[in-house]
Amino acid sequence: MKNFNKILIAIFAVSMVFSSCKKKPTDDIDLIVTNDFSKSTATFQFVDAKTGVQIDLDINQNLEISISGPDKDKIVDNAGSSNPKAVNGFLGLALKEGLLPSASNPINFSVIAKADGYLTTSVNVFMHEEGNQHIIVTMVDINNTPSGVSAEVATILSVPASGIIPTTFTLSPAATPLTGTTAEITIPAGTKFMDKNGDAVSGNINAKMVYFNNMEESSVAAFPGGLSNINTVNDEDGIDFKTAGFVAMNLTASNGKEIKQFGQPVQMRVSIPDGTTDGDGNVIQAGTIVPIWSYDPETAEWRLEANPVATLNAGKLEVNYEMTHLSYWNLDWKNAQRCSYGSTITFTSCMNQFYNGYIKFSPIGGGGNSYYPYYTKNIQNNSSFTLRNAPSSPTRITVYKNYFEMMQNQNGISKDFNSLCAPSSQTMNLSSWPGFVCPTTLTIQIDANCSGANRTIRPTCAIYAKKNGTNFWFFVGYMINGNMVTYALNQGETYLFKVQIGNQLFTAPNTFTVTQQNYFLNMTLNSNICALLQF
Amino acid sequence: MKLHSLKMLAFVSIQFALTAKISQAQEKSSPLVGFQVGTMGLGFQYVHPINSRWDLRAAATYFQLKHNREWTTTTTSTLTTSETIKGRTGGVSLIADYNLSSKTPNFKLAFGALYQLNRLIDTRSYLVEYSGQNVDLGNLTLEYTTFPVSPYAGFVWGNFKTEKKIVYSIELGTLYHGKPRVDFTGEGRIAPTAEQDEMAAENVKDYNWYPVLNFQINYKLK
């Protein structure tokens, strides 16, 4: 009995110890990862300035981007790579983890874009706050220029090893039909071609020259680098230009070397359209000072080169100046008829969530060269923004739901303002947006998986859509941690979707018809995105 | 599980009641002071005899542990996981030792309660490498704690009736701390994993008992 009891007690003790050993603590727990590491992001689409067709999307046009500017080292792609690349004309950039921009301490960088057959362009970006901004970058096809832009290509044959051309070379695009203006470069015989290091460049030289007039919106919208948020070498950041015209010139040897310097000054002549007004709004005439700025793509800064005066030549005003280096040249007055900080515009609407709207500013009555850039802004009911470098003259604001509608001037809501500098607070009602029924928010949540991996990803990425039967991809929104609310999709419509993360683009295999307002999607990503996000 | 445990505990109690015999009057043991080392750590104890059958034992023990390890899993990229496990055990106990029979003086039942300090923290950091770049995904921390006051039951064997001054014994038992409390937190990009805290708690809900095994060496005070 004694021994029997001892045995029973021993069994009890052992069973107490081992009866608890069932599951391991981490059994069935999936690793869930988000790639949301940045407080401020910027997404881009690169499109043809004339057709609106996305570059590098359907045909390979070798779109390459690089980042420059004072804060370039703080920028990565939205997968975290320090070597961002565009993919099929889409680009997603992000501020490095741990950094936070503010109005008093903005992040500033430039994106420089090159593609086969296109003029190299750049866009200057400021990050003032958390969130995403979506930017459409237009690029000029030299062989199919938008209205107001004229291009000419020629070859300088057999430049000797010394780099000194034996005969005078002149290049001038055709005059733009509306204004009858153009630009002309004359490189005198005996001029030495040099690269940025001062070394001679020889061989067959491909010369490209593009002139942009200042009177057509399609031309001014296509200015490489734009006219807003300009940085200068004098540490003026975020200023705006009012332009009298723009010239871009490239000289490239067949071995790819770019000519950046000349051994002696070369002559540039730019004619100025009738009716051009200067920074004070006065119509320019012979004797008016027309500042000339050059652009350094490495630093994304403009430099004031000279202050020539306009002269009359065969009834047309023109500016003549000499240059010893090659870059983009812009005839501009800075911050013309602007106030540094303008009115705070508050939007009233039925939208309860943020929506990425496109806001265009147009001069009322003035026209001419008083062109203002467009902005993209997150807008919702009672959201507001304060304009920097706001125009003080009568201006119309038009708000569009997407870039495509802005390009086509469709379905915008407009309001005229006497000035955007005063009063300090103004409002604009967006409830009467044509074709827009409120509320039509669409909430999308995504848990994504990678085949074979015990991991779930809540993606942070840019989402684009294309309406079935159209060719235009538009920005739907920036998904964060697998969550997004958007107004960009309409109930009953069928769309195809793309997701951009880093240098990867994922196209959903099937179209999707919007029939409800909330979606939770579980999707399997392709192997390339999984490799990129393999957590 | 709880019902099963209670049934087993009732079984032991009944066995105790059935096998208990009234012993002849015996001398009380001598008080003991000593060390114990085991699954509740290392510490001191004092044994005070109540009568010929009962002793009262108070002990205080403590132990900390830390363990690091690292491993990688490679698919199309390489995930490196670095784990640090920190734990502590120990506490203050008050145990009654009961000698079942005078014919088995070296075998005692032990009952009591502990204020125990058991805690385990498992922290894992994750680093993924792809395309030559390393991305820090952050870390996850699982912290397990239990209700500090725990009942205890066990057995002690030793040379309690030796005439020598040194008394050795070994103790085997278990304490009941109930379902562990789990705190699951995350930092960085892997932080959403910690939303599965309910799953983590469910996985350990049956870990109600803690094994007690220690070796004791004591010195007779008289």
Side-chain angles (χ1 to χ4, degrees), chain B residues 39-41 59-63 88-95 112-120 144-152 174-181 207-212:
Chain B
T39 58
M40 289 298 291
T61 58
Y62 188 76
F63 184 69
R88 72 175 187 204
T89 186
V92 174
S93 60
L94 190 63
I95 309 288
L114 282 84
Y115 183 86
Q116 46 88 0
L117 303 172
N118 289 355
R119 188 170 91 161
L120 194 72
Y144 305 93
T145 51
T146 56
F147 188 71
V149 178
S150 304
Y152 169 77
T174 184
L175 63 85
Y176 177 80
H177 53 62
K179 190 166 68 173
R181 185 184 131 179
Y207 285 65
N208 300 312
W209 304 85
Y210 185 78
V212 176

Side-chain angles (χ1 to χ4, degrees), chain A residues 269-341:
Chain A
R269 178 176 66 84
V270 183
S271 48
I272 300 174
D274 297 337
T276 294
T277 54
D278 66 10
D280 297 319
N282 302 313
V283 176
I284 73 164
Q285 49 196 311
T288 301
I289 293 173
V290 184
I292 295 177
W293 301 75
S294 68
Y295 179 70
D296 181 353
E298 293 299 316
T299 62
E301 287 180 324
W302 291 86
R303 177 190 300 274
L304 178 63
E305 294 281 353
N307 285 301
V309 295
T311 56
L312 263 178
N313 182 3
K316 272 267 186 248
L317 283 169
E318 67 182 30
V319 167
N320 288 275
Y321 58 94
E322 291 182 336
M323 55 188 192
T324 56
H325 66 95
L326 206 54
S327 69
Y328 294 162
W329 297 88
N330 208 351
L331 281 56
D332 287 296
W333 299 270
K334 57 176 178 162
N335 283 349
Q337 296 174 289
R338 305 288 183 101
C339 50
S340 298
Y341 286 93

Side-chain angles (χ1 to χ4, degrees), chain A residues 454-503:
Chain A
N454 185 23
R455 295 163 193 146
T456 299
I457 297 160
R458 301 250 173 93
T460 293
C461 55
I463 296 191
Y464 297 88
K466 182 177 80 164
K467 208 186 283 189
N468 216 18
T470 68
N471 258 338
F472 178 73
W473 289 90
F474 61 88
F475 181 67
V476 174
Y478 202 74
M479 173 165 280
I480 295 177
N481 291 339
N483 279 281
M484 185 177 75
V485 176
T486 180
Y487 285 88
L489 305 174
N490 297 324
Q491 293 287 320
E493 295 278 4
T494 301
Y495 300 93
L496 191 58
F497 289 93
K498 283 187 190 291
V499 171
Q500 176 270 323
I501 304 174
N503 63 354

Side-chain angles (χ1 to χ4, degrees), chain B residues 76-135:
Chain B
T76 47
S77 62
T78 301
L79 178 68
T80 301
T81 307
S82 305
E83 182 180 38
T84 299
I85 297 178
K86 286 186 193 174
R88 72 175 187 204
T89 186
V92 174
S93 60
L94 190 63
I95 309 288
D97 294 329
Y98 178 74
N99 183 217
L100 269 172
S101 162
S102 59
K103 292 183 182 175
T104 56
N106 293 327
F107 176 80
K108 300 182 183 184
L109 292 179
F111 302 95
L114 282 84
Y115 183 86
Q116 46 88 0
L117 303 172
N118 289 355
R119 188 170 91 161
L120 194 72
I121 302 176
D122 181 356
T123 303
R124 298 184 189 185
S125 302
Y126 298 86
L127 189 74
V128 68
E129 185 269 329
Y130 69 92
S131 302
Q133 301 219 12
N134 288 322
V135 178

Side-chain angles (χ1 to χ4, degrees), chain A residues 5 8-9 12 16 19-20 22-25 27 30 32-34 79 81-82 455 458 532 534-535, chain B residues 1 8 11-12 15 19 73 75 77 79 128 130 133 137 144 155 189-190 193 195-196 203 206-207 209:
Chain A
N5 287 338
L8 280 177
I9 289 164
F12 153 71
M16 286 297 102
S19 66
S20 302
K22 293 189 175 173
K23 294 185 89 172
K24 283 188 276 194
D27 278 354
D30 289 339
I32 300 176
V33 181
T34 152
S81 168
S82 301
R455 295 163 193 146
R458 301 250 173 93
L532 190 65
Q534 189 54 270
F535 303 130
Chain B
M1 180 61 208
M8 290 300 285
F11 167 77
V12 170
Q15 287 299 307
T19 56
T73 49
T75 52
S77 62
L79 178 68
V128 68
Y130 69 92
Q133 301 219 12
L137 300 183
Y144 305 93
F155 317 96
R189 297 192 222 183
I190 207 157
T193 305
E195 293 170 9
Q196 301 169 85
N203 285 346
D206 291 336
Y207 285 65
W209 304 85

